[in-house]
């Protein structure tokens, strides 16, 4: 059996005593979408959450965690985070800012603790997945444990379907 590499996110959860299950998959550089990841790990896209890093005009960096099959509504995100507007951080800035790369950005264990918001549908499920902090691995865990751990606020962040 292949040993999963321990990521910073996993080490932080271990230290906090929060249970999780690592789900590995073969990353596809041509399709890093959350929906593709959900297909790879066999978890519904609405339970597979992607982590977006944005910058607010008043607050600076913010972390937005939404279902893989949804699109961020930047107006809702701005309102929720106390900004007039928010813009997604450019992929070139991501590693320096968060310590993570595109396709492997986790809301757990970033370089700094940024204010975090998670989409309200996370609470509909006993378990959701978020990135483990590297391409090719998601963490299946209880959102009711994740939310207080990353000090996230629960709000509606997505565009209407």
């Amino acid at each position: 059996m292949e040993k999963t590499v321990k990521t910073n996110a996993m080490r932080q959860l271990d230290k906090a005593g929060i249970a999780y299950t690592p789900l590995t998959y073969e990353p596809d550089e041509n399709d890093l979408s959350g929906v593709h990841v959900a297909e790879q790990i066999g978890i519904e896209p609405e339970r597979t959450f992607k982590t977006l890093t944005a910058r607010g005009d008043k607050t600076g960096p913010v972390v937005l965690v939404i279902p893989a099959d949804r699109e961020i509504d930047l107006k809702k995100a701005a309102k929720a985070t106390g900004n007039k507007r928010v813009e997604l951080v450019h992929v070139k800035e991501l590693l320096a800012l968060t310590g993570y790369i595109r396709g492997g950005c986790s809301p757990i264990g970033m370089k700094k603790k940024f204010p975090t918001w998670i989409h309200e549908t996370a609470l509909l499920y006993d378990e959701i997945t978020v990135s483990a902090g590297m391409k090719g691995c998601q963490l299946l865990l209880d959102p009711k444990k994740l939310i207080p751990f990353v000090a996230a606020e629960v709000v509606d962040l997505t565009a209407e379907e």
Side-chain angles (χ1 to χ4, degrees):
M1 192 172 122
E2 208 179 300
K3 182 155 169 38
T4 306
V5 178
K6 279 273 184 190
T7 64
N8 192 31
M10 291 177 196
R11 285 190 289 275
Q12 286 199 8
L13 291 171
D14 289 345
K15 195 172 166 188
I18 296 173
Y20 62 89
T21 305
L23 304 173
T24 57
Y25 63 96
E26 199 55 50
D28 178 352
E29 288 304 318
N30 298 316
D31 189 355
L32 292 173
S33 73
V35 172
H36 182 71
V37 169
E39 288 166 5
Q40 295 280 304
I41 59 174
I43 301 279
E44 303 91 337
E46 59 271 16
R47 286 180 50 213
T48 302
F49 280 66
K50 57 188 175 185
T51 304
L52 305 171
T53 307
R55 185 172 279 116
D57 61 340
K58 293 180 180 165
T59 60
V62 294
V63 177
L64 309 167
V65 185
I66 66 169
D69 61 349
R70 300 248 189 134
E71 289 300 316
I72 191 77
D73 181 324
L74 292 173
K75 282 188 171 65
K76 283 182 185 176
K79 189 173 184 217
T81 61
N83 287 287
K84 274 206 173 86
R85 67 172 193 280
V86 295
E87 291 175 358
L88 294 179
V89 168
H90 196 280
V91 83
K92 285 187 282 216
E93 291 179 78
L94 201 57
L95 181 60
L97 185 66
T98 65
Y100 292 128
I101 58 170
R102 178 173 177 259
C105 196
S106 178
I108 308 161
M110 288 191 177
K111 277 184 173 181
K112 287 186 180 147
K113 243 183 155 5
F114 295 118
T116 302
W117 284 262
I118 191 164
H119 193 264
E120 60 195 6
T121 56
L123 291 173
L124 299 176
Y125 307 102
D126 292 334
E127 292 181 312
I128 62 168
T129 74
V130 294
S131 175
M134 61 183 266
K135 289 180 194 171
C137 190
Q138 290 281 111
L139 300 175
L140 183 67
L141 75 173
D142 180 345
K144 290 169 196 71
K145 293 204 171 28
L146 172 67
I147 290 163
F149 184 66
V150 297
E153 286 189 48
V154 178
V155 291
D156 176 12
L157 292 167
T158 60
E160 298 304 317
E161 291 189 355

